[in-house]
Amino acid sequence: MAIPKVMGIETEYGITVPGLTEFNPVLGSSMLINAYVAHTSRRVRWDYEEESPLRDARGFEHAREPAGPSEEDLGLANAILTNGARYYVDHAHPEYSTPECLCPRELVAHDKAGERILARSIERASELLPSGRRMLVYKNNTDGKGASYGCHENYLVDRETPFARLAGEVLPFFVSRQVFCGAGSLGGPVAGEFGPYQISQRADFFEAEVGLETTLKRPIVNTRDEPHADPEKYRRFHVIIGDANMSEVAILLKVGTTALTLMMIEDDAITGDFALESPVQALRRISHDPSCGATVSLRSGRAVRAVDIQWGYFEMAEKYLMRHEAPEWAGEVMARWEHVLGALETDPMSLDRELDWVAKWTLLSSYRDRDGLRWTDPKLQMMDLQYHDVREGRGLASVLARNGKLERLVPEDDVRDAVDRPPRSTRAYFRGRCLAQFPGEIAAASWDSVIFDVGGDTLRRVPMMEPLRGTEAHVKPVLDECRTAADLIGRLQG
Amino acid sequence: MAKSGGGAEHQRKKAHRHGGDGGEAGEGGQVAKKAEAAIEEADELLAEIDEVLEENAEEFVRSYVQKGGE
């Protein structure tokens, strides 16, 4: 029986100071995070004890890359927030990792909350910049000059599921899901009716089918094995193939359909064979065809469209959900999935209110038509970038949403709530509540621990190796009764 | 900003796509009105984009250089 899909999204944001060529993005990112945290809570240290980014799901450990000192050694900003999220400097980007969520809609709210947090960080950091300077932040995945930065998803899966089968069965799904979760990019060769426009920001940066790397030779299926939970029972399936989405519908579909697919794999319910002849080429071919009509070859010899592969997974999911206990959120995801696949077959452009790549295309092409611009016009490239600007009212996706041209799923009040408050139904609740309630008594925290300093000689580490313990239902009554962290430690031991 | 006529034509196509199928016989006037409203709305949106779009796009885009991440 598939385990509940605890999931989260980590986003590396693009960062720039216009007009300042010697801008240091590492320090800039640190400045953003520190400016945000200084206004909200006491800085709590990240606990690195259970981190092992070089462990491979295929069962071996890689030698440490000669990558220089770790983030911890450099003393860069690395904060845990009261909503249970981690907000830190990763490489040369500010990164926001949502807290663990148990349903796609909740994750949509927390992913959007990340944008709001970055926007607030910009406002607060601007006071620290020389006058006339401003820092800008983009939730996208490429600078259009050969660099890509990631938006990764994480899903809790059963350790018993053989990884080789998981990788093989999820691969065709990953190659084809971009037709609804691509964020759109002007970064391709000029060709045909769509000019240089392609569906995905990331497709051109992937070179391998399966592997551990994330920065070189990026693989479609990533094998990092760092569960941040009981390693005997769980994997954290680390997904690096996605685009960062502005559209709430795209986020919901991305995580909802992926969670359903992983549940089917855990229950060995993948009956169709969509193994691709050349997955890496297929990924690019699909991205470079916004008409969604191009076909790719299966190993069986059949030629199929991305939509056909997705219909295959959709139909398997339909059958699967009839025979298995369906999560509460499955109905909404299935209805959306069916709707977008139908529309992608008949008229992809009719999804301009729902999907990022279609919304952006529609906006760019109407602007281009109005002014008679060439595809290489910097104004269009600016729009391609500014679509992802996190500032409300300045980011073009937010302008579209405000004008009713990009559908919203989550009320803004819920997004604002998610800026400060953790999800209720995972261990993120315990982490976030403790941070809010005992900020002065927490020495460090991580995904799977909270370390308290309640005086005395030793720190008290509360392990949280079960992602579904520490929920509101589980710990709220206790937390409500505790005045101090020492009370809490006493209760947990008692 | 100078506006060419191309945008209006594009928007008419769009309006047809979104609203054209729903019109019943005898409601031609209403369909036309709807299309007109859609064009106006689209023009307003593009005008709003003009207002918020970063200036010096060429320089801005050229200097947007990121280090790889992940």
Side-chain angles (χ1 to χ4, degrees):
Chain A
M1 183 65 198
I3 60 171
K5 284 288 148 281
V6 177
M7 48 199 157
I9 298 177
E10 349 166 350
T11 308
E12 292 174 352
Y13 287 82
I15 177 170
T16 190
V17 174
L20 196 64
T21 42
E22 70 276 27
F23 168 65
N24 179 330
V26 178
L27 295 180
S29 301
S30 211
M31 191 187 211
L32 272 184
I33 294 158
N34 285 331
Y36 181 77
V37 175
H39 276 68
T40 47
S41 60
R42 181 180 163 275
R43 259 183 87 171
V44 171
R45 190 171 65 82
W46 186 259
D47 171 25
Y48 283 94
E49 187 160 312
E50 298 290 334
E51 304 259 314
S52 44
L54 300 175
R55 193 172 299 151
D56 197 299
R58 293 165 295 185
F60 42 87
E61 188 102 18
H62 290 248
R64 179 160 279 284
E65 299 164 76
S70 70
E71 284 84 358
E72 188 184 23
D73 299 335
L74 292 170
L76 295 172
N78 191 344
I80 307 138
L81 309 181
T82 58
N83 65 358
R86 182 185 184 194
Y87 186 25
Y88 67 116
V89 182
D90 195 18
H91 300 276
H93 301 271
E95 173 157 339
Y96 182 79
S97 293
T98 68
E100 307 90 323
C101 296
L102 196 54
C103 81
R105 228 171 217 280
E106 191 175 49
L107 185 47
V108 172
H110 277 275
D111 191 47
K112 295 304 279 186
E115 296 172 30
R116 305 293 181 267
I117 286 169
L118 267 296
R120 288 186 196 182
S121 303
I122 292 171
E123 279 172 30
R124 289 164 189 176
S126 67
E127 297 158 18
L128 308 170
L129 291 172
S131 80
R133 294 289 182 204
R134 55 204 180 112
M135 212 182 287
L136 297 176
V137 167
Y138 298 91
K139 191 191 190 191
N140 69 349
N141 301 105
T142 178
D143 64 359
K145 298 168 191 70
S148 185
Y149 30 102
C151 174
H152 300 174
E153 302 142 62
N154 297 295
Y155 303 87
L156 194 72
V157 298
D158 192 334
R159 175 66 63 175
E160 281 186 9
T161 305
F163 190 81
R165 181 165 67 76
L166 194 166
E169 291 179 347
V170 83
L171 207 108
F173 172 78
F174 278 169
V175 169
S176 54
R177 70 173 189 168
Q178 56 179 311
V179 291
F180 51 78
C181 58
S185 169
L186 265 184
V190 181
E193 93 177 277
F194 291 97
Y197 197 75
Q198 61 171 311
I199 290 175
S200 159
Q201 296 236 322
R202 296 269 285 163
D204 287 350
F205 294 96
F206 282 74
E207 298 171 65
E209 294 175 26
V210 182
L212 181 67
E213 297 84 355
T214 56
T215 52
L216 297 161
K217 284 202 70 178
R218 292 184 185 87
I220 297 167
V221 175
N222 184 258
T223 56
R224 182 181 295 179
D225 188 7
E226 197 184 8
H228 297 316
D230 184 344
E232 303 284 317
K233 291 164 71 176
Y234 306 116
R235 278 180 204 290
R236 172 180 63 114
F237 188 50
H238 187 58
V239 179
I240 69 167
I241 184 74
D243 287 6
N245 288 112
M246 305 304 292
S247 154
E248 297 179 14
V249 175
I251 302 168
L252 181 96
L253 278 167
K254 176 169 71 178
V255 299
T257 61
T258 303
L260 285 170
T261 299
L262 293 171
M263 290 171 68
M264 289 195 278
I265 294 171
E266 283 175 318
D267 284 326
D268 212 351
I270 301 291
T271 49
D273 181 11
F274 294 95
L276 289 154
E277 184 65 43
S278 320
V280 175
Q281 274 119 300
L283 183 74
R284 292 185 193 185
R285 182 164 164 78
I286 291 165
S287 181
H288 287 273
D289 172 43
S291 78
C292 298
T295 58
V296 295
S297 301
L298 300 186
R299 260 186 238 157
S300 64
R302 224 163 28 111
V304 294
R305 300 167 302 170
V307 181
D308 298 321
I309 300 175
Q310 284 295 318
W311 274 128
Y313 280 84
F314 172 84
E315 280 159 16
M316 289 189 282
E318 245 184 347
K319 283 189 200 140
Y320 171 80
L321 290 169
M322 280 191 277
R323 291 192 308 263
H324 293 78
E325 202 181 316
E328 224 176 288
W329 48 263
E332 180 182 28
V333 170
M334 290 299 287
R336 290 270 177 190
W337 198 1
E338 185 170 24
H339 165 70
V340 298
L341 294 182
L344 285 166
E345 271 189 318
T346 53
D347 180 10
M349 297 306 143
S350 67
L351 294 167
D352 59 349
R353 290 183 70 252
E354 286 143 276
L355 305 183
D356 279 320
W357 74 265
V358 187
K360 193 197 275 180
W361 163 259
T362 304
L363 183 63
L364 289 176
S365 51
S366 55
Y367 198 90
R368 174 176 175 267
D369 287 354
R370 188 196 68 181
D371 292 353
L373 303 176
R374 293 159 64 91
W375 275 122
T376 48
D377 194 285
K379 274 203 163 177
L380 297 178
Q381 292 168 347
M382 188 66 236
M383 289 171 76
D384 182 19
L385 175 59
Q386 201 172 332
Y387 181 86
H388 304 270
D389 189 324
V390 297
R391 295 171 300 163
E392 286 176 282
R394 301 289 290 193
L396 304 189
S398 89
V399 172
L400 289 179
R402 194 173 60 190
N403 283 279
K405 306 277 186 199
L406 191 62
E407 188 179 344
R408 297 214 48 188
L409 290 178
V410 178
E412 186 57 26
D413 282 350
D414 290 3
V415 175
R416 282 175 214 265
D417 208 43
V419 166
D420 297 313
R421 290 151 76 111
R424 295 194 170 97
S425 30
T426 68
R427 65 185 174 188
Y429 180 82
F430 180 76
R431 182 188 314 123
R433 263 293 302 260
C434 287
L435 256 297
Q437 198 168 335
F438 314 115
E441 293 162 286
I442 296 177
S446 70
W447 298 119
D448 49 27
S449 69
V450 178
I451 299 177
F452 294 91
D453 182 357
V454 294
D457 295 338
T458 51
L459 299 174
R460 312 299 285 267
R461 188 169 193 272
V462 177
M464 296 188 294
M465 301 304 274
E466 284 294 333
L468 290 176
R469 290 177 65 88
T471 64
E472 182 182 66
H474 181 213
V475 297
K476 184 176 186 293
V478 178
L479 281 162
D480 284 348
E481 286 169 17
C482 292
R483 277 187 313 106
T484 65
D487 289 349
L488 177 66
I489 298 289
R491 289 288 298 267
L492 293 177
Q493 284 173 335
Chain B
M1 179 167 295
K3 295 187 183 187
S4 73
E9 191 190 318
H10 174 82
Q11 290 308 329
R12 258 194 297 282
K13 275 188 219 151
K14 239 188 100 180
H16 174 74
R17 201 183 69 222
H18 284 293
D21 304 338
E24 286 169 27
E27 291 183 349
Q30 264 198 348
V31 172
K33 239 184 217 169
K34 259 192 191 168
E36 215 167 281
I39 292 166
E40 206 166 292
E41 204 183 289
D43 285 346
E44 278 170 20
L45 176 70
L46 293 185
E48 194 175 337
I49 301 289
D50 284 330
E51 270 172 39
V52 299
L53 199 62
E54 294 288 343
E55 289 172 5
N56 306 320
E58 189 167 4
E59 167 60 21
F60 196 109
V61 170
R62 191 175 47 231
S63 63
Y64 184 74
V65 178
Q66 300 292 300
K67 294 218 168 92
E70 310 178 69

